[in-house]
Amino acid sequence: MVVAVLAALAAVLLAPASAHADTGSASRGTVRHGLSQPDYSYADAIREAVWVDTGLDGDGDGRTDRVAVDIVRPSEPAAAGRKVPVIMDASPYYSCCGRGNENQLKTYDAAGKIVQAPLFYDNYFVPRGYASVLVDLAGTDRSDGCVDVGGPSDVQSAKAVVDWLNGRGRGYSARSGGHRVTAGWTNGKVGMIGKSWDGTIANGVAATGARGLKTIVPISSISSWYDYYFHQGAPLQDGPEWLSDYVESDSAHASCAAAQQKIIDGSPRTGDWTPFWTARDYVKDAGKVTASVFAVQGMQDLNVRTKHFGQWWQALAAHGVERKVWLSQTGHVDPFDYRRTDWVPTLQRWFDHYLLGVDNGIQKQPMADIERTVDHWTTDRVWPPAGTHTAALSLTPSATDGLGTLGTKHATRGSTESFTDDPNLWEEDWAAAADTATPAKTAFTTGVLTKDLRLSGGGTFTVTATSSTTSAHLSAVLVDLGPATVRNFLGNGEGIKTLGTRSCYGESTPGDSACFLDTAADTTTGDHTVFSRGWADLGHYASLAHGVPLVPGKPYTMTIQLAATDHVVPAGHRLALIVAGTDGGLILPPDTTPKVTVDLAHSVLRLPLVGGTGALSVRAGAAPRTTAAAADGTTAFRPAPAPSGTPAARLG
């Protein structure tokens, strides 16, 4: 048996003082210091495959689809007649792409029973009295049906399994035919977990109000698929048909042409909101969520951006859902790979409470853990923290065109700033030249801060602008101007580097090791940090339902949503708002190359500041350095490279 010494130590150290030293009952094994103990053998666990009927016929073959469900569960409770809860990860990635930092795939023995279950959930939690359930979404791996990219088929793939686990669905011993199989071994309490698409499905199932789903742990997960492909009309990447084609099994490729065409027809690249997106919007159904939610998000995730977390969190809060959050400085990274020794016991305590009923106080602990600087975490009792209020900041011009001031003073009527869209540049180019007048952006900065300024939540930028052409895309970027060492979220590891050593979490078998490659923070030091951004197509100023051609020279007003974050701009630094066109590598350019003029008197930045407007305190007379651009628009600053690959290619 290989047991993680570090995890065990962390479990003891992090146990709440009020937790009972030990308990036991007929429904669970030993509990010590508020945590379930590894009483059961992973080597002797029961491994089985079941195919669950979804009630849908996505591939149109005349029979309802069955999704493959691989199960690893402890044998001892089954022999004693005790029922166990379920930790479930429903994924499209088990055969095409792999899960986790090591891209683990499912493997099987000659009888078709699972040998390697990716990630540590089975190794760690099965000995502690849980069943690990891994579901292949419809159209992937060993499942029937077709991938529909977050739509009814995807969600029903997992919901049908929750229903089966609670005695409401039908399971079979084979993909076609076989005998009926029931889940009499479980108490029906299900927790769903997963990163990216996997966690997205957890959001989707929770939004159906599925009975028996007690908690979800979505990690860097989508809350509305429109917002993955567009941001207020501005296209972020190619359409969803690419993604469905990428994960579909060979058999699905052969039978899902009609379903693929429906995806293409339902998601035109116009940026218009269609019924296709309504069916993939989980935020609107947040009122149906009865499961608790432990959300995890990388604040520098440029793949599944923090808008997804922010709008989901806000909707859950409005409906009183029990929730918790971890916010890291990483990109699209699992907490197992940036805070492992804290993550595992915290996750265990969460599951123990909501699935085993252990009274360990997890729900009373601080709601939010936030990575304030690299590997340094702070907590908040609630999030956003008490005292957070929206502050309105105005934009005023300076003596240098293209540069202005951000503060509480209002611009005079008729004040404007202009820029010309340049799709070859992106936010890092703009931020590096924040104090330099360049043709492709305009920047507004505060004076030097005399005290820390904390932003907590999602802001907005209401802009009144005219375009010289019939189309224009807008970007609004918040920048912390000042030296800092941060996680290198633009690097290959998106803020982590993988080491050659391993640490173990749970028990191993010859085919499924509980030992995973260790990681460490990958850091970089610079003179600026982009920490929030938002984009929009000005043609969608009136409605997402239908974009319109712009009338050149006519002013339009639009409010751009800025991604949720929690960032402290330290005293001695400055806060900047950069307004520009195409954020190269992150949004696609419009079909024209406009010159955009911003009406400063009718534009306003609203930010969630801890302490409200009074928290903004700047040093009097501290003017930023300004530099004129060269004739070709270049500056002495060295721009960072644009991110490689499209977000679609990096979803997992």
Side-chain angles (χ1 to χ4, degrees):
M1 178 187 300
V2 182
V3 181
V5 175
L6 287 175
L9 287 173
V12 173
L13 291 172
L14 294 175
S18 60
H20 294 294
D22 60 272
T23 60
S25 74
S27 61
R28 65 184 186 229
T30 305
V31 175
R32 187 175 298 117
H33 300 293
L35 291 171
S36 56
Q37 300 300 302
D39 293 339
Y40 310 115
S41 169
Y42 180 70
D44 295 334
I46 297 169
R47 296 169 181 264
E48 58 189 326
V50 177
W51 278 263
V52 172
D53 194 328
T54 68
L56 303 176
D57 182 12
D59 51 17
D61 64 356
R63 59 185 181 85
T64 53
D65 302 326
R66 295 179 182 178
V67 292
V69 182
D70 292 301
I71 301 166
V72 185
R73 57 188 175 92
S75 59
E76 296 90 341
R82 295 203 300 270
K83 298 181 184 297
V84 298
V86 168
I87 295 173
M88 185 168 96
D89 188 343
S91 178
Y93 293 126
Y94 285 130
S95 65
C96 75
C97 322
R99 304 310 298 130
N101 193 37
E102 299 176 50
N103 299 316
Q104 291 183 314
L105 301 171
K106 284 182 177 180
T107 63
Y108 298 92
D109 63 16
K113 295 180 181 180
I114 192 165
V115 174
Q116 176 176 269
L119 306 176
F120 76 99
Y121 306 137
D122 57 315
N123 308 87
Y124 189 81
F125 285 104
V126 169
R128 287 163 170 79
Y130 293 85
S132 178
V133 170
L134 296 84
V135 181
D136 298 331
L137 294 186
T140 71
D141 204 2
R142 303 199 297 174
S143 291
D144 299 332
C146 302
V147 177
D148 67 353
V149 191
S153 177
D154 271 16
V155 173
Q156 182 62 16
S157 298
K159 182 180 181 297
V161 178
V162 175
D163 288 340
W164 173 71
L165 291 166
N166 281 272
R168 300 189 299 270
R170 291 184 295 178
Y172 298 88
S173 61
R175 184 169 182 172
S176 60
H179 58 270
R180 287 281 297 272
V181 179
T182 60
W185 46 266
T186 178
N187 61 14
K189 293 182 178 181
V190 180
M192 291 185 67
I193 189 170
K195 176 189 164 215
S196 200
W197 199 331
D198 303 19
T200 298
I201 299 306
N203 286 340
V205 175
T208 70
R211 288 179 292 141
L213 183 62
K214 299 301 182 181
T215 191
I216 63 171
V217 184
I219 302 167
S220 293
S221 301
I222 294 166
S223 59
S224 174
W225 281 85
Y226 175 89
D227 295 310
Y228 186 70
Y229 287 97
F230 299 96
H231 198 291
Q232 295 183 247
L236 296 164
Q237 57 211 16
D238 295 333
E241 68 277 5
W242 183 95
L243 200 52
S244 64
D245 184 70
Y246 187 66
V247 302
E248 273 184 344
S249 64
D250 290 341
S251 60
H253 278 310
S255 58
C256 292
Q260 183 83 334
Q261 190 60 47
K262 286 182 180 179
I263 293 174
I264 295 171
D265 294 342
S267 58
R269 304 307 295 154
T270 60
D272 292 350
W273 186 289
T274 65
F276 179 91
W277 303 118
T278 301
R280 291 158 177 79
D281 176 20
Y282 315 134
V283 178
K284 66 177 172 50
D285 292 322
K288 298 178 183 177
V289 175
T290 58
S292 62
V293 179
F294 187 174
V296 180
Q297 178 69 46
M299 290 186 286
Q300 293 289 13
D301 192 340
L302 297 179
N303 181 352
V304 179
R305 295 156 294 277
T306 58
K307 180 180 182 183
H308 292 277
F309 155 72
Q311 64 192 6
W312 185 232
W313 183 268
Q314 190 173 31
L316 295 172
H319 293 285
V321 175
E322 271 195 278
R323 62 204 185 282
K324 182 176 178 65
V325 64
W326 275 21
L327 298 173
S328 76
Q329 280 193 359
T330 66
H332 200 59
V333 183
D334 193 295
F336 187 75
D337 294 316
Y338 60 74
R339 201 187 182 196
R340 187 174 299 180
T341 57
D342 290 320
W343 171 245
V344 175
T346 301
L347 181 65
Q348 182 188 352
R349 185 168 283 111
W350 185 265
F351 281 145
D352 281 356
H353 177 71
Y354 288 101
L355 300 181
L356 284 179
V358 178
D359 183 15
N360 55 26
I362 185 71
Q363 78 282 13
K364 299 175 184 177
Q365 292 179 347
M367 179 182 286
D369 279 34
I370 300 162
E371 189 176 21
R372 189 58 62 205
T373 57
V374 177
D375 283 332
H376 174 240
W377 292 75
T378 61
T379 62
D380 285 286
R381 186 181 61 82
V382 296
W383 195 88
T388 303
H389 303 289
T390 299
L393 303 180
S394 299
L395 287 55
T396 53
S398 73
T400 304
D401 288 345
L403 301 176
T405 300
L406 186 63
T408 55
K409 180 182 177 182
H410 295 284
T412 58
R413 188 178 182 87
S415 298
T416 63
E417 291 287 357
S418 299
F419 59 86
T420 300
D421 192 5
D422 185 350
N424 295 310
L425 302 177
W426 74 307
E427 58 188 43
E428 282 294 321
D429 299 313
W430 306 330
D435 290 332
T436 304
T438 56
K441 62 100 174 72
T442 184
F444 304 88
T445 60
T446 66
V448 176
L449 300 180
T450 60
K451 61 181 181 180
D452 291 355
L453 182 69
R454 180 180 177 185
L455 294 84
S456 189
T460 62
F461 175 51
T462 298
V463 58
T464 298
T466 60
S467 171
S468 65
T469 63
T470 56
S471 63
H473 293 166
L474 300 176
S475 297
V477 175
L478 295 180
V479 187
D480 178 342
L481 295 176
T485 297
V486 299
R487 285 186 181 267
N488 183 21
F489 63 91
L490 295 176
N492 290 335
E494 299 192 51
I496 65 165
K497 54 187 175 183
T498 302
L499 307 178
T501 58
R502 291 181 179 271
S503 56
C504 307
Y505 287 81
E507 298 183 22
S508 297
T509 62
D512 194 327
S513 174
C515 303
F516 299 84
L517 288 171
D518 294 317
T519 65
D522 178 21
T523 64
T524 184
T525 299
D527 60 2
H528 67 269
T529 305
V530 177
F531 64 89
S532 182
R533 66 277 288 171
W535 309 285
D537 169 54
L538 192 56
H540 284 81
Y541 74 97
S543 171
L544 287 183
H546 184 57
V548 298
L550 303 173
V551 177
K554 179 180 177 179
Y556 298 89
T557 299
M558 186 173 194
T559 296
I560 302 173
Q561 304 293 323
L562 300 178
T565 188
D566 196 300
H567 183 83
V568 174
V569 184
H573 289 204
R574 292 175 293 135
L575 170 66
L577 167 69
I578 296 177
V579 185
T582 300
D583 197 343
L586 295 177
I587 66 172
L588 302 180
D591 54 8
T592 63
T593 305
K595 179 178 181 180
V596 176
T597 300
V598 177
D599 181 345
L600 303 186
H602 293 92
S603 300
V604 61
L605 176 67
R606 294 184 174 87
L607 298 179
L609 301 182
V610 179
T613 305
L616 179 63
S617 177
V618 300
R619 187 180 306 155
R625 173 177 59 86
T626 61
T627 306
D632 64 356
T634 62
T635 73
F637 293 95
R638 181 177 62 84
S644 61
T646 64
R650 300 182 289 116
L651 180 58

